[in-house]
Amino acid sequence: MPNPARILIVDDLLSVREVLRAGLESAGHEIQTASSAAEARTMFTAGRFDLVICDIQMPGESGVDLLDWMKSQDADVAVVMVTGVDDAITAVTAMLKGASDYLTKPFTLPEVRARAEQALEKRRLKLDNR
């Protein structure tokens, strides 16, 4: 991997954040985590991220609302949405709002790593084409 990616994981469940952190750190990425959309906004404003892995259903602000806001701040950030509910309408909505991909819980770490790498590669190609 040329440069480790800066990845923000946003999920209200500590167990999910920690599994994702461990799986993506072992792939060489720099990981930060947030337990809410509000905490994610603060972290996103303070630093640049290449990829955000974000739960859709969280207490307070939804992941789709956070996605809208993040894309308004940095149109190039890659975002993979995660949900425990297999809902095609929500998936399509997230993709239309700029999500790179969509994962349904339960997921496997190889699946997450593959989706993260695909989203990062798509972002790199988009930036290189400019």
Side-chain angles (χ1 to χ4, degrees):
M1 172 186 317
N3 294 316
R6 293 198 67 228
I7 300 174
L8 176 61
I9 297 167
V10 186
D11 199 297
D12 55 310
L13 297 176
L14 176 61
S15 58
V16 173
R17 290 194 311 272
E18 290 307 309
V19 165
L20 290 172
R21 174 199 291 274
L24 292 167
E25 276 181 345
S26 70
H29 299 296
E30 180 187 326
I31 309 299
Q32 292 187 26
T33 65
S35 62
S36 67
E39 186 179 358
R41 281 178 184 259
T42 300
M43 295 171 81
F44 198 87
T45 302
R48 178 194 61 80
F49 291 95
D50 303 305
L51 171 65
V52 178
I53 298 178
C54 183
D55 192 15
I56 289 179
Q57 294 181 328
M58 296 182 288
E61 184 180 5
S62 79
V64 175
D65 290 338
L66 179 61
L67 167 65
D68 265 345
W69 179 83
M70 288 186 296
K71 285 295 194 174
S72 76
Q73 302 300 302
D74 178 1
D76 295 323
V77 67
V79 181
V80 174
M81 303 303 291
V82 179
T83 186
V85 179
D86 192 4
D87 175 5
I89 293 171
T90 303
V92 169
T93 300
M95 300 297 276
L96 288 172
K97 290 178 178 275
S100 304
D101 211 336
Y102 185 89
L103 281 166
T104 303
K105 296 175 191 173
F107 47 74
T108 65
L109 279 179
E111 180 183 21
V112 172
R113 282 191 204 113
R115 301 282 180 99
E117 293 304 330
Q118 287 170 349
L120 288 166
E121 181 61 18
K122 191 173 170 183
R123 179 183 184 277
R124 276 191 284 273
L125 289 171
K126 185 177 169 184
L127 292 174
D128 286 351
N129 283 336
R130 273 200 203 131

